[in-house]
């Protein structure tokens, strides 16, 4: 809502020097979001006067038509001689009254005017357009042609009210009444403690039976309908400058007198109005729900198919308006002008004014259904004061009579569905309890009265809310009114004492630890969007029947290419990797932790439960069953060098092994000793892919995969060669977590070390050899470590040599050489037995 | 002191003659003095103090002397060996000092050489900022609550007093989830959560008051990515439900938070606003932590962070609407509560002077690395 300060002053006697900024501060404090204060005509300086065009000479030979004019500006130029002005606009004629800016003046935007030579002539000033004067859009972009009765030499700055301040207010949905000057004026008056001149306090004749016939068959959708008729309008009458200017400042474009007046009254009182050309209405005006499939062409020229829920205004032929949203084209007010088909000049002379009150929900639904938000629907959706309808109709009638020479017919139609005022009972100290401030009953009552409520009672207050505040329905609504008028800024600051807490959950701690551990290992966190499409799943080589193909799809994705939610963290991470690579960072290690979305396939639509009670546990379970599984994962991607080359020596490229190690790293944070197995799983290289498993409740569970990506995937996604990746399920890891770690017993006896080299088939996993060695070595084994892997002629084709260092130690004695050797031999024997290993000579 | 034993002829044992001993001593001292480094000294040491050195050999001869001569010769040899060892020690120290001065200097390295063998990693500042905020409240006794990002409409809207046709429902442009089922039934009643408020609802459904929770997490709205918007962003919301909680408690909690995050002297300001899930509702601002209000009305020292307003808009807050409590089975007659929520991206932008939202979402390591492990 744009509120010109000059207009606001009509209803509230603000202090003379009060600026828009001052008013803004006051209104913000009382809860109106005044976003900006626009300074209209800032810096404008005359002479800027009304002139009359005396002569026009068309200048030839230029790219565009140029006029050399002489204009009578009276004594404004000091000489009384005609002013010579060059002008590029063409929408004026000899004799027209125009706005002339003379040399020495300044227009908005620090545009200084001086006599200057142009198109071979000297132009002593300018004939002005609305744009140049900062007046806003008048739809023409041409120069302003003023009504002929305005005298030459009149100061145009005052005439056109060019200097003003406009408050732009973002009205929240609960404050529909502030979509009017009347509402903003009421807030302003309260904020300043000044009286309000309520523009809705008008003398309105009582309804009678000879107004325009109206039949409301849906009193739920329309609980009030006022119709008034004005006849004998002069079709050529134009809106006066003051009215046009107020509309412009409020952000609306002047159109024709009748339309301008209805818009003006809507801005003033917040009541949307509609004017029908009476000669185009056939029979009784009706209000009813639309027949399904019924059609109407609205004023914006769109043909719309109606829904059975839409409320329509009808005449004998059918719908003539979409109630509360937009009128129909077939009863549109005609401006004076020639009919393009017949050439006949005509204009509307008789109008029927509709001031009705429609159900907010009905209008909201219709506006949304037809994607048609209008000034009217915006107001009805947020709640219009039903009691203002007859006053608004009266104000419209008065203005049409005054400005268009019309005559008000005596008939007044008013259909009102009975409804009682809304009353809320609250304890007098309720606002005190909500705020934590002792306002006292007197203050509470006074503030509620300022809002417009009627208040009765002592300890219990019976509060009847004003008709323009349909948003006030609950005790806390009243508390808010009191607290905001007393000033949120005056609330004290106290700190409640929650019961002692227990800190983060295990899941939350694991999430943090995993992130810290990965960052500590050199990975940089990237938070990627979870949107994916089929294309990336294709590029990752994921099979059609892979569960990662079953995605949560969005009805309204940002991009049709990416309509689904991720089922793996890799697409986002890999595109971040590619982006970094493209920007010149080539040695990359990235990680992400976040949810993936895995439909179970059994989701049923989520019910819309009632809100007047807690849902049952079964209802909550059903809501949850409508959701996909959303486990938390961690993933890494690597490319380039894991260790850089430098003065210390060579670098080391990132490999599959780093990816697997990242899995171990994360698992360790969960207290899980990861089991690593050879695997074949997209998008990984079939020979360089590890399955990561953990033991949950005694069973091995797959928790993730790691390795080098498949070369085809690398090519398809445009990734650096040998890009490696790991993805692991943090929630499963948490369940596999070992819990409390038992402390090891530390022996201080000497260690006995033994090295063994074993030759196995190259297909035998080192992990199997290691576990055989461990089990064979028995409890004297303190630790073992694979320190070399060797392949080559010496070990034979298809074989590899694995060299282990074994450390033996006893808890209670120094081991003899024989004891250590015996333990080693037992270890080797187990390896021979289980993995076909042979001791390397 | 006894006089020399005249009954013994020391000439018979040549090596024990005083002049011989003196010669051996002098030779040893000369050899030590002549040693120019520790290796030469080690050789001289072996030659003059080792098992086969003249003095050691002379010492062995003492045993062959008659008893009356032993003491005399032993004393002489002992004194000589003492002098030699002392001289060796002194020379040893001299040469070590020399070596330290020379060799360790030769071994000096340039310790300013960079060692960026493995580049440092980092956590995303949105993660660490969120954790920092969580920790402020965890320290007060709050617990951190989490919930699904794909959420039912009832939890995301209805339970929060955002009725199906409420204008507020159009304020948030929501991603709706499509039905997996074929056919016309596209309504799943499932959305990407538009705020973390459904986690508040879940907390109330799960637990009895008193309830003090902080709800961080990712939320979704259908904005296109640009310098100041992102369709996927992070929020922190807070919910406190207890007997007798007031707006003053809300204000105090906010004040505490901004002091914990931005330092002493910070405070918040509440301005009336409208949200369906709170009543009364407020917009919350904090004092601009850069200019602390000094830029207001001071064109000579403008503040980019707050546009010289002196305040920075943080987010929304208010007293939990009793209708929300009712929908969650919390007795509004007995309990009241307050809630607030704000976007982490915005806070990161003004706390760290981030100019473009896109930097936070693109995962460029050059942006994230400087933030390190904590923020």
């Amino acid at each position: 809502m744009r509120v010109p300060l000059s207009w606001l002053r009509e209803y509230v006697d603000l202090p003379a020097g009060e600026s828009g900024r001052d008013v803004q501060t006051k209104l913000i404090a009382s809860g109106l979001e005044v976003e900006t204060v626009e300074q209209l005509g800032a810096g404008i300086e005359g002479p800027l006067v009304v002139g009359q065009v005396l002569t026009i000479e068309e200048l030839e030979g230029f790219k565009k038509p140029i006029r050399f004019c002489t204009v009578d500006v009276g004594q404004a130029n000091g000489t009384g001689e005609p002013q010579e002005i060059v002008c590029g606009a063409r929408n004026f004629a000899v004799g027209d009254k125009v706005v002339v800016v003379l040399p020495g003046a300044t227009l908005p935007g620090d545009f200084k005017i001086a006599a200057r030579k142009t198109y071979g002539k000297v132009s002593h000033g300018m004939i002005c357009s609305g744009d140049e004067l900062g007046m806003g859009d008048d739809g023409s972009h041409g120069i302003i042609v003023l009504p002929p009765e305005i005298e030459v030499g009149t100061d145009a700055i005052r005439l056109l009210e060019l200097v003003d301040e406009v408050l732009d207010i973002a009205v929240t949905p609960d404050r529909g009444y502030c979509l009017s000057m009347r509402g903003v004026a009421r807030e302003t008056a309260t904020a300043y403690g000044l009286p309000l001149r309520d523009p809705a306090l008008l003398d309105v004749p009582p309804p009678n039976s000879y107004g325009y016939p109206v039949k409301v068959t849906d009193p739920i959708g329309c609980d009030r309908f006022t119709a008034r008729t004005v006849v004998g309008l002069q079709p050529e009458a134009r809106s006066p400058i003051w009215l046009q200017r107020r509309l412009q400042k409020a952000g609306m474009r002047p159109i024709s007198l009748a339309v301008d007046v209805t818009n003006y009254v809507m801005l003033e009182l917040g009541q949307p109005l509609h004017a029908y050309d009476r000669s185009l209405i056939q029979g009784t005006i009706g209000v009813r729900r639309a027949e399904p499939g019924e059609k109407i062409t609205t004023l914006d020229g769109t043909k719309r198919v109606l829904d059975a829920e839409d409320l329509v205004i009808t005449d004998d032929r059918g719908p003539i308006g979409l109630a509360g949203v937009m009128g129909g084209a077939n009863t549109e007010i005609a401006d004076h002008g020639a009919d393009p088909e017949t050439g006949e000049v005509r204009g509307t002379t008789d109008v029927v004014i509709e001031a009705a009150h429609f159900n907010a929900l009905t209008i909201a639904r219709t506006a949304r259904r037809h994607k048609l938000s209008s000034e009217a629907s915006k107001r009805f959706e947020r709640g219009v004061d039903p009691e203002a309808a007859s006053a608004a109709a009266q104000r419209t009638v008065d203005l049409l009579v005054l400005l268009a020479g019309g005559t008000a017919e005596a008939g007044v139609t008013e259909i009102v569905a009975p409804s009682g005022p809304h009353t809320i009972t609250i304890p007098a100290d309720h606002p005190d309890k909500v705020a934590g401030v002792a306002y006292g009953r007197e203050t509470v009552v006074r503030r509620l009265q300022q809002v417009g409520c009627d208040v009765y009672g002592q300890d219990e207050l019976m509060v009847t809310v004003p008709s323009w505040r349909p948003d006030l329905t609950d005790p806390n609504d009243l508390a808010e009114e009191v607290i905001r008028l007393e000033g949120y800024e005056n609330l004290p600051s106290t700190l409640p004492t929650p019961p002692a807490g227990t800190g983060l959950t295990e899941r939350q701690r694991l999430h943090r630890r995993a992130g810290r551990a990965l960052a500590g290992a050199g990975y940089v966190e990237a938070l990627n969007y979870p949107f994916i499409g089929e294309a990336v799943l294709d590029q990752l080589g994921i099979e059609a029947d892979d569960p990662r193909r079953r995605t949560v799809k969005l009805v309204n994705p940002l991009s049709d290419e990416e309509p689904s939610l991720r089922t793996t963290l890799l697409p986002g991470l890999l595109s971040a990797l590619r982006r970094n690579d493209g920007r010149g960072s080539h040695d990359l290690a990235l990680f992400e932790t976040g949810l993936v979305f895995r439909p179970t396939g059994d989701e049923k639509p989520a019910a819309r439960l009632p809100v007047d009670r807690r849902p049952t546990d079964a209802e909550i379970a059903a809501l949850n069953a409508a959701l996909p599984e959303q486990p938390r994962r961690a993933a890494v991607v690597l490319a380039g060098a894991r260790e850089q080359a430098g003065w210390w020596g060579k670098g080391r490229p990132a490999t599959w092994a780093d990816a697997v190690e990242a899995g171990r790293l994360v698992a360790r944070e969960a207290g899980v000793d990861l089991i690593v197995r050879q695997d074949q799983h997209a998008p990984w290289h079939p020979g360089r892919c590890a399955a990561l498993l953990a033991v949950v409740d005694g069973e091995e569970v797959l928790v993730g995969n790691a390795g080098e990506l498949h070369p085809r995937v690398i090519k398809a996604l445009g990734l650096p060669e040998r890009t490696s990746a790991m993805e692991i399920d943090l929630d499963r890891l948490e369940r596999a977590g070992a819990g409390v770690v038992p402390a090891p017993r530390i022996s201080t006896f000497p260690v006995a070390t033994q090295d063994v080299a074993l030759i196995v088939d190259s297909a035998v996993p080192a992990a199997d050899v290691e576990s055989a060695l461990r089990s064979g070595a028995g409890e004297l084994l303190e630790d073992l470590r694979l320190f070399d892997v060797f392949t080559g002629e010496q070990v034979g084709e298809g074989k590899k040599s694995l060299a282990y260092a074994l450390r033996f130690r006893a808890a209670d004695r120094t081991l003899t050489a024989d004891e250590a050797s015996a333990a080693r031999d037992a270890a080797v024997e187990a390896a021979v037995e289980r993995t076909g290993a042979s001791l390397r000579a | 002191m006894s006089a020399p034993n005249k009954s013994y002829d020391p000439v018979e044992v040549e090596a024990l003659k005083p002049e011989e001993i003196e010669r051996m001593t002098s030779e040893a001292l000369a050899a030590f003095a002549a040693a120019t480094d520790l290796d030469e000294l080690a050789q001289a040491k072996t030659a003059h103090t080792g098992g086969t050195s003249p003095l050691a050999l002379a010492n062995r001869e003492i045993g062959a002397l008659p008893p009356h001569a032993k003491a005399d010769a032993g004393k002489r040899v002992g004194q000589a060996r003492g002098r030699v060892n002392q001289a060796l020690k002194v020379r040893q120290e001299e040469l070590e000092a020399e070596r330290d001065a020379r060799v360790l200097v030769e071994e000096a390295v340039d310790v300013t050489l960079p060692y960026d063998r493995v580049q440092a990693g980092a956590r995303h500042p949105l993660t660490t900022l969120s954790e920092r905020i969580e920790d402020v409240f965890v320290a007060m006794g709050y617990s951190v609550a989490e919930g699904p990002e794909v959420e039912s409409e009832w939890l995301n809207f209805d339970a929060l007093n955002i009725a199906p046709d409420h204008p507020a429902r159009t304020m948030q442009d929501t991603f709706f989830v499509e039905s997996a089922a074929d056919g016309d039934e596209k309504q799943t009643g499932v959305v990407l959560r538009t705020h973390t408020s459904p986690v508040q609802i879940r907390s109330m459904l799960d637990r009895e008051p008193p309830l003090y929770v902080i709800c961080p997490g990712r939320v979704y709205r259908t904005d296109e990515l640009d310098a100041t918007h992102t369709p996927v962003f992070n929020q922190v919301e807070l919910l406190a439900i207890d007997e007798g909680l007031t707006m003053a408690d809300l204000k105090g909690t906010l004040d505490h938070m901004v002091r914990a995050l931005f330092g002493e002297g910070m405070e918040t300001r509440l301005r009336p606003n409208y949200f369906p899930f709170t009543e009364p509702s407020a917009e919350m601002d904090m004092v601009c932590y850069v200019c602390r209000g000094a830029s207001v009305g001071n064109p000579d020292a403008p503040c980019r962070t707050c546009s010289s307003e002196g305040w920075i808009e943080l987010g929304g807050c208010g007293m939990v609407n009793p209708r929300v409590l009712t929908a969650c089975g919390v007795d509004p007659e007995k309990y009241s509560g307050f809630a607030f929520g704000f976007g982490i991206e915005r806070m990161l932008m003004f706390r760290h002077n981030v100019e473009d939202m896109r930097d936070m979402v693109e995962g460029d390591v050059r942006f994230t690395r400087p933030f390190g492990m904590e923020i």
Side-chain angles (χ1 to χ4, degrees), chain B residues 39-369:
Chain B
D39 288 344
E40 281 178 30
L41 185 64
Q43 282 171 23
K45 178 186 175 185
T46 309
H48 294 281
T49 66
T52 58
S53 63
L55 271 172
L57 293 174
N59 196 46
R60 277 191 222 159
E61 300 290 336
I62 294 173
L65 292 182
H68 61 273
K70 271 185 184 168
D72 189 38
K75 186 180 172 194
R76 192 155 53 242
V77 172
Q79 282 175 347
R81 293 179 89 181
R83 279 174 66 201
V84 168
N85 283 334
Q86 178 62 30
L88 173 65
K89 188 177 164 219
V90 168
R91 187 59 183 155
Q92 178 83 23
E93 280 169 6
E94 280 172 14
L95 288 175
E96 278 180 6
E98 239 173 66
R99 182 211 53 193
D100 287 359
R102 178 171 44 81
V103 177
L104 296 192
V105 164
E106 280 170 12
E107 282 179 16
V109 295
D110 177 2
V111 297
T112 69
L113 285 175
Y115 197 67
D116 52 350
R117 195 163 186 163
V118 176
Q119 297 187 77
R123 304 172 76 212
H124 199 283
L126 289 172
T127 308
T128 47
L129 181 57
S130 176
E131 286 179 5
R132 194 183 173 97
I133 297 162
E134 290 161 34
D135 289 347
V136 169
F137 290 101
V138 168
M140 294 168 75
Y142 285 72
S143 50
V144 177
E146 295 168 299
E149 291 173 13
V150 175
E151 184 57 285
S152 63
E153 284 192 55
W154 190 83
L155 279 146
N156 193 71
F157 291 126
D158 301 55
L160 288 153
N161 193 36
I162 311 173
D165 291 288
H166 201 289
R169 208 134 161 171
T170 57
M171 280 161 60
Q172 299 173 343
D173 291 328
T174 308
F175 287 110
F176 289 90
V177 167
E178 193 174 286
S179 171
D182 294 334
D184 296 337
E185 187 49 63
K186 288 286 185 192
Q187 290 286 328
T188 53
V190 176
V191 297
L192 300 194
R193 67 180 179 192
T194 57
H195 42 198
T196 57
S197 311
V199 182
Q200 300 187 22
I201 301 297
R202 286 179 177 277
S203 298
M204 284 190 271
L205 292 173
D206 285 351
R207 288 184 255 167
E208 295 286 321
L211 186 67
Y212 290 82
V213 292
I214 180 121
C215 313
R218 261 189 163 189
V219 302
Y220 300 84
R221 293 186 199 169
T222 59
D223 290 319
E224 294 284 350
L225 174 65
D226 63 27
T228 54
H229 296 85
T230 162
V232 182
F233 57 102
N234 291 268
Q235 273 193 333
V236 168
E237 291 192 349
L238 175 142
L239 172 73
I241 305 285
D242 208 336
E243 289 181 47
L245 290 181
T246 66
M247 271 187 101
D249 292 330
L250 165 63
K251 169 93 164 82
T253 304
L254 289 169
D255 285 343
H256 176 77
M257 178 184 75
V258 296
R259 278 179 205 133
L261 292 174
F262 294 93
E264 278 307 309
M266 298 301 296
E267 63 169 333
T268 57
R269 172 179 80 172
L270 301 185
R271 288 178 288 122
N273 203 325
Y274 169 77
F275 307 108
F277 29 90
T278 47
E279 189 70 41
S281 301
E283 196 76 30
M284 58 199 188
D285 303 334
M286 57 175 264
V287 169
C288 175
Y289 83 108
V290 175
C291 73
R292 307 248 167 173
S295 67
V296 180
N298 184 2
D300 296 336
C303 178
R304 284 173 61 203
T305 304
C306 65
S307 307
S308 300
E309 299 277 343
W311 294 91
I312 302 173
E313 207 174 301
L314 260 191
C317 63
M319 301 305 290
V320 179
N321 193 319
R323 289 173 186 238
V324 175
L325 297 180
T326 301
C328 297
V330 176
D331 180 3
E333 298 292 320
K334 184 173 177 196
Y335 293 105
S336 60
F338 59 81
F340 63 74
F342 54 87
I344 304 296
E345 276 77 358
R346 229 188 96 65
M347 187 179 274
L348 188 72
M349 283 181 106
F350 67 71
R351 192 173 187 261
H352 296 269
N353 197 19
V354 181
E355 288 198 338
D356 196 317
M357 185 75 84
R358 284 169 286 218
D359 290 339
M360 295 183 211
V361 308
E362 288 180 342
D364 195 312
V365 293
R366 294 169 301 165
F367 174 79
T368 304
R369 203 168 259 140

Side-chain angles (χ1 to χ4, degrees), chain A residues 514-567:
Chain A
R516 287 209 188 101
L518 287 167
Y523 290 87
V524 177
E525 186 173 19
L527 299 174
N528 300 296
Y529 287 175
F531 306 121
I532 62 165
E534 288 292 313
V536 76
L537 296 174
D538 293 343
Q539 287 161 332
L540 289 173
I542 291 171
E543 300 286 341
D545 58 351
D546 190 295
R548 285 171 291 177
R549 285 276 181 182
R550 193 158 69 210
T551 59
V552 173
K553 291 190 183 59
L554 300 176
V555 175
N556 52 338
L558 281 182
S559 156
D560 289 336
E561 307 298 309
E562 295 184 328
S564 294
L565 298 185
R566 64 187 178 193
T567 50

Side-chain angles (χ1 to χ4, degrees), chain A residues 566-820:
Chain A
R566 64 187 178 193
T567 50
T568 149
L569 296 179
L570 294 183
L573 267 179
L574 290 172
S575 75
L577 182 92
R578 190 176 48 224
R579 189 177 302 121
N580 274 289
D581 188 59
R583 291 177 179 178
S585 304
H586 305 302
D587 301 327
L588 292 162
L590 304 179
F591 83 97
E592 179 170 15
T593 61
L595 304 191
V596 298
F597 306 90
R598 306 293 289 263
T600 60
D602 297 328
E603 291 92 346
K604 304 275 181 297
R608 176 141 303 144
L609 303 175
V611 292
D612 55 356
R613 59 162 174 86
R614 182 189 191 275
T616 64
D617 289 346
E619 286 171 329
I620 296 169
L623 282 184
N624 288 333
L627 306 179
E629 287 180 359
Q630 301 172 53
R632 180 139 66 203
R633 296 246 179 115
V636 308
V637 294
L638 303 107
R642 180 77 170 114
E643 288 176 22
Q644 306 196 84
W647 56 266
W648 53 83
K650 281 206 273 188
R652 187 176 69 72
T655 68
W656 61 271
D658 293 296
V660 175
E661 181 53 22
R664 288 202 182 91
L665 179 74
V666 172
R668 260 198 303 277
E669 294 300 326
V672 173
D673 209 0
L674 215 52
I675 302 163
V676 177
R677 295 253 166 78
Q678 204 78 29
D679 197 7
Q680 295 197 351
H681 189 64
W684 281 275
H685 185 308
R688 297 182 172 191
C689 173
L692 311 177
L693 301 103
V695 177
V696 182
D697 300 328
E699 288 196 25
E700 282 186 9
V701 175
L702 182 74
V703 292
N705 283 95
E708 184 180 311
L709 293 183
H710 197 295
R712 275 208 303 270
V713 172
I714 288 173
K715 183 154 182 267
L717 287 170
L719 298 170
E721 275 182 22
R722 303 283 177 197
T723 296
S724 298
M726 183 282 297
E727 181 165 24
I728 198 163
D729 191 311
L730 287 176
D731 289 337
R732 284 189 190 168
L733 277 183
E734 191 219 333
R735 286 197 291 278
V740 177
V741 175
R745 297 281 174 267
I746 300 301
S747 165
T748 54
F749 289 94
V751 68
T753 53
Q754 298 263 348
D755 290 354
V756 295
L758 296 170
I759 295 173
V760 292
D761 284 347
S762 33
V764 172
D768 292 0
V769 178
E770 179 178 325
S771 90
L773 285 172
R774 278 184 190 281
S775 70
E779 59 183 20
L780 290 180
L781 182 74
E782 183 178 78
D783 193 18
L784 72 73
R785 181 166 179 272
L786 175 68
F787 66 87
D788 194 24
V789 180
F790 180 77
T791 54
E793 274 178 33
Q794 295 98 315
V795 295
E797 182 93 352
K799 301 277 186 186
K800 64 186 171 192
S801 165
L802 304 172
Y804 290 91
L806 286 70
R807 292 162 65 85
F808 295 102
R809 201 186 320 242
D812 54 354
R813 63 187 188 284
T814 301
L815 288 180
T816 64
D818 287 348
E819 280 180 300

Side-chain angles (χ1 to χ4, degrees), chain A residues 280-613:
Chain A
L280 300 176
I281 317 177
Q282 295 183 8
T284 300
I285 291 179
V287 185
R288 62 164 168 82
R289 300 282 165 168
E291 308 287 341
E294 222 171 358
K295 294 184 183 64
I296 185 172
T297 301
T298 42
L299 283 175
D300 58 357
T302 307
K303 190 169 190 177
R304 298 172 191 278
V305 180
L306 300 175
D307 183 274
E309 258 196 90
D310 290 332
L311 197 65
V312 288
I313 312 294
T314 60
D315 69 2
D316 290 351
R317 295 163 297 182
I320 57 171
L322 205 46
V325 181
M326 193 173 273
N330 52 1
T331 53
E332 185 177 359
I333 296 285
D335 201 356
H336 66 162
D339 186 300
E341 283 170 24
T342 63
E344 179 194 356
V345 177
R346 56 159 217 99
T348 297
T349 56
D350 301 346
V351 295
V352 176
I353 313 293
E354 164 204 308
H357 186 257
F358 301 110
N359 178 272
L361 215 54
T362 303
I363 302 305
R365 284 185 179 156
T366 293
R368 197 176 318 156
R369 188 177 298 120
H370 296 285
K371 296 187 174 58
L372 183 61
S373 178
S374 64
E375 291 290 331
S377 71
K378 211 164 77 183
R379 286 175 172 78
F380 281 122
E381 275 180 43
R382 287 165 173 77
V384 165
D385 180 3
E387 302 293 333
S390 52
Q394 183 63 45
R395 180 81 166 123
T396 309
V397 168
D398 290 347
L399 285 171
L400 287 176
V401 168
L402 180 74
L403 303 174
T407 306
E409 287 200 345
V412 176
T413 305
E414 200 166 296
I415 293 167
V416 181
S419 71
H422 185 62
T423 299
I424 307 166
T425 304
I426 57 165
D429 65 351
H430 182 68
D432 300 24
K433 284 186 168 161
V434 172
V437 177
Y439 296 123
R441 180 188 172 282
E442 202 177 307
T443 302
V444 169
V445 170
R446 177 169 53 86
R447 288 305 191 183
L448 290 175
Q449 285 169 339
Q450 280 179 336
V451 171
C453 297
D454 287 329
V455 187
Y456 298 96
Q458 280 300 318
D459 294 345
E460 287 277 305
L461 300 181
M462 261 89 74
V463 183
T464 302
V465 305
S467 58
W468 60 85
R469 291 301 302 271
D471 60 303
L472 300 180
T473 57
D474 293 9
N476 270 29
D477 297 331
L478 300 181
E480 179 178 80
E481 293 302 307
V482 173
I483 299 167
R484 77 174 171 91
L485 294 177
E486 283 294 301
Y488 277 18
E489 69 275 18
N490 296 321
L491 285 168
S493 182
T494 57
L495 206 53
T497 320
T502 53
L504 300 178
T505 63
E506 279 309 316
R507 181 173 188 262
Q508 290 158 358
R509 288 149 62 93
L510 170 59
H511 186 205
R512 288 191 181 189
R513 280 202 306 275
R516 287 209 188 101
L518 287 167
Y523 290 87
V524 177
E525 186 173 19
L527 299 174
N528 300 296
Y529 287 175
F531 306 121
I532 62 165
E534 288 292 313
V536 76
L537 296 174
D538 293 343
Q539 287 161 332
L540 289 173
I542 291 171
E543 300 286 341
D545 58 351
D546 190 295
R548 285 171 291 177
R549 285 276 181 182
R550 193 158 69 210
T551 59
V552 173
K553 291 190 183 59
L554 300 176
V555 175
N556 52 338
L558 281 182
S559 156
D560 289 336
E561 307 298 309
E562 295 184 328
S564 294
L565 298 185
R566 64 187 178 193
T567 50
T568 149
L569 296 179
L570 294 183
L573 267 179
L574 290 172
S575 75
L577 182 92
R578 190 176 48 224
R579 189 177 302 121
N580 274 289
D581 188 59
R583 291 177 179 178
S585 304
H586 305 302
D587 301 327
L588 292 162
L590 304 179
F591 83 97
E592 179 170 15
T593 61
L595 304 191
V596 298
F597 306 90
R598 306 293 289 263
T600 60
D602 297 328
E603 291 92 346
K604 304 275 181 297
R608 176 141 303 144
L609 303 175
V611 292
D612 55 356
R613 59 162 174 86

